[in-house]
PDB file of all heavy atoms in Angstrom:
ATOM      1  N   LEU Z  63     -12.849  17.388  15.016  1.00 95.00           N
ATOM      2  CA  LEU Z  63     -12.382  18.736  14.715  1.00 95.00           C
ATOM      3  C   LEU Z  63     -10.972  18.950  15.263  1.00 95.00           C
ATOM      4  O   LEU Z  63     -10.096  19.464  14.566  1.00 95.00           O
ATOM      5  CB  LEU Z  63     -13.347  19.767  15.305  1.00 95.00           C
ATOM      6  CG  LEU Z  63     -12.909  21.223  15.223  1.00 95.00           C
ATOM      7  CD1 LEU Z  63     -12.850  21.677  13.774  1.00 95.00           C
ATOM      8  CD2 LEU Z  63     -13.832  22.093  16.027  1.00 95.00           C
ATOM      9  N   PHE Z  64     -10.749  18.533  16.485  1.00 96.00           N
ATOM     10  CA  PHE Z  64      -9.435  18.710  17.097  1.00 96.00           C
ATOM     11  C   PHE Z  64      -8.376  17.849  16.412  1.00 96.00           C
ATOM     12  O   PHE Z  64      -7.252  18.303  16.185  1.00 96.00           O
ATOM     13  CB  PHE Z  64      -9.506  18.415  18.591  1.00 96.00           C
ATOM     14  CG  PHE Z  64     -10.486  19.289  19.302  1.00 96.00           C
ATOM     15  CD1 PHE Z  64     -11.663  18.761  19.811  1.00 96.00           C
ATOM     16  CD2 PHE Z  64     -10.272  20.648  19.423  1.00 96.00           C
ATOM     17  CE1 PHE Z  64     -12.588  19.566  20.456  1.00 96.00           C
ATOM     18  CE2 PHE Z  64     -11.182  21.463  20.074  1.00 96.00           C
ATOM     19  CZ  PHE Z  64     -12.344  20.923  20.585  1.00 96.00           C
ATOM     20  N   VAL Z  65      -8.742  16.615  16.067  1.00 96.00           N
ATOM     21  CA  VAL Z  65      -7.808  15.735  15.362  1.00 96.00           C
ATOM     22  C   VAL Z  65      -7.463  16.336  14.002  1.00 96.00           C
ATOM     23  O   VAL Z  65      -6.294  16.376  13.599  1.00 96.00           O
ATOM     24  CB  VAL Z  65      -8.408  14.323  15.202  1.00 96.00           C
ATOM     25  CG1 VAL Z  65      -7.522  13.450  14.338  1.00 96.00           C
ATOM     26  CG2 VAL Z  65      -8.621  13.674  16.553  1.00 96.00           C
ATOM     27  N   PHE Z  66      -8.462  16.842  13.305  1.00 97.00           N
ATOM     28  CA  PHE Z  66      -8.251  17.456  11.997  1.00 97.00           C
ATOM     29  C   PHE Z  66      -7.305  18.652  12.107  1.00 97.00           C
ATOM     30  O   PHE Z  66      -6.365  18.794  11.322  1.00 97.00           O
ATOM     31  CB  PHE Z  66      -9.601  17.891  11.406  1.00 97.00           C
ATOM     32  CG  PHE Z  66      -9.504  18.547  10.068  1.00 97.00           C
ATOM     33  CD1 PHE Z  66      -9.299  17.792   8.929  1.00 97.00           C
ATOM     34  CD2 PHE Z  66      -9.626  19.923   9.933  1.00 97.00           C
ATOM     35  CE1 PHE Z  66      -9.212  18.393   7.684  1.00 97.00           C
ATOM     36  CE2 PHE Z  66      -9.538  20.533   8.706  1.00 97.00           C
ATOM     37  CZ  PHE Z  66      -9.333  19.765   7.574  1.00 97.00           C
ATOM     38  N   LEU Z  67      -7.541  19.514  13.091  1.00 96.00           N
ATOM     39  CA  LEU Z  67      -6.701  20.698  13.255  1.00 96.00           C
ATOM     40  C   LEU Z  67      -5.267  20.331  13.628  1.00 96.00           C
ATOM     41  O   LEU Z  67      -4.320  20.994  13.185  1.00 96.00           O
ATOM     42  CB  LEU Z  67      -7.314  21.628  14.304  1.00 96.00           C
ATOM     43  CG  LEU Z  67      -8.621  22.298  13.894  1.00 96.00           C
ATOM     44  CD1 LEU Z  67      -9.183  23.106  15.056  1.00 96.00           C
ATOM     45  CD2 LEU Z  67      -8.443  23.162  12.667  1.00 96.00           C
ATOM     46  N   ILE Z  68      -5.088  19.287  14.422  1.00 96.00           N
ATOM     47  CA  ILE Z  68      -3.735  18.835  14.769  1.00 96.00           C
ATOM     48  C   ILE Z  68      -3.002  18.352  13.522  1.00 96.00           C
ATOM     49  O   ILE Z  68      -1.833  18.696  13.302  1.00 96.00           O
ATOM     50  CB  ILE Z  68      -3.790  17.739  15.853  1.00 96.00           C
ATOM     51  CG1 ILE Z  68      -4.198  18.345  17.186  1.00 96.00           C
ATOM     52  CG2 ILE Z  68      -2.452  17.015  15.979  1.00 96.00           C
ATOM     53  CD1 ILE Z  68      -4.536  17.324  18.244  1.00 96.00           C
ATOM     54  N   TYR Z  69      -3.689  17.557  12.700  1.00 96.00           N
ATOM     55  CA  TYR Z  69      -3.049  17.070  11.477  1.00 96.00           C
ATOM     56  C   TYR Z  69      -2.728  18.210  10.512  1.00 96.00           C
ATOM     57  O   TYR Z  69      -1.685  18.191   9.856  1.00 96.00           O
ATOM     58  CB  TYR Z  69      -3.928  16.027  10.783  1.00 96.00           C
ATOM     59  CG  TYR Z  69      -3.845  14.657  11.407  1.00 96.00           C
ATOM     60  CD1 TYR Z  69      -4.951  13.819  11.418  1.00 96.00           C
ATOM     61  CD2 TYR Z  69      -2.680  14.170  11.980  1.00 96.00           C
ATOM     62  CE1 TYR Z  69      -4.890  12.556  11.983  1.00 96.00           C
ATOM     63  CE2 TYR Z  69      -2.614  12.921  12.551  1.00 96.00           C
ATOM     64  CZ  TYR Z  69      -3.714  12.115  12.535  1.00 96.00           C
ATOM     65  OH  TYR Z  69      -3.642  10.873  13.094  1.00 96.00           O
ATOM     66  N   ILE Z  70      -3.593  19.191  10.414  1.00 96.00           N
ATOM     67  CA  ILE Z  70      -3.323  20.334   9.547  1.00 96.00           C
ATOM     68  C   ILE Z  70      -2.120  21.116  10.077  1.00 96.00           C
ATOM     69  O   ILE Z  70      -1.235  21.526   9.311  1.00 96.00           O
ATOM     70  CB  ILE Z  70      -4.564  21.244   9.436  1.00 96.00           C
ATOM     71  CG1 ILE Z  70      -5.680  20.540   8.666  1.00 96.00           C
ATOM     72  CG2 ILE Z  70      -4.230  22.578   8.780  1.00 96.00           C
ATOM     73  CD1 ILE Z  70      -5.365  20.261   7.211  1.00 96.00           C
ATOM     74  N   LYS Z  71      -2.066  21.330  11.384  1.00 97.00           N
ATOM     75  CA  LYS Z  71      -0.955  22.081  11.980  1.00 97.00           C
ATOM     76  C   LYS Z  71       0.370  21.355  11.788  1.00 97.00           C
ATOM     77  O   LYS Z  71       1.405  21.985  11.570  1.00 97.00           O
ATOM     78  CB  LYS Z  71      -1.217  22.300  13.462  1.00 97.00           C
ATOM     79  CG  LYS Z  71      -0.174  23.127  14.146  1.00 97.00           C
ATOM     80  CD  LYS Z  71      -0.795  24.045  15.145  1.00 97.00           C
ATOM     81  CE  LYS Z  71       0.251  24.855  15.845  1.00 97.00           C
ATOM     82  NZ  LYS Z  71       0.351  26.188  15.329  1.00 97.00           N
TER      83      LYS Z  71
END
Side-chain angles (χ1 to χ4, degrees):
L63 173 66
F64 301 110
V65 174
F66 179 77
L67 291 176
I68 289 169
Y69 281 147
I70 292 295
K71 183 141 179 101

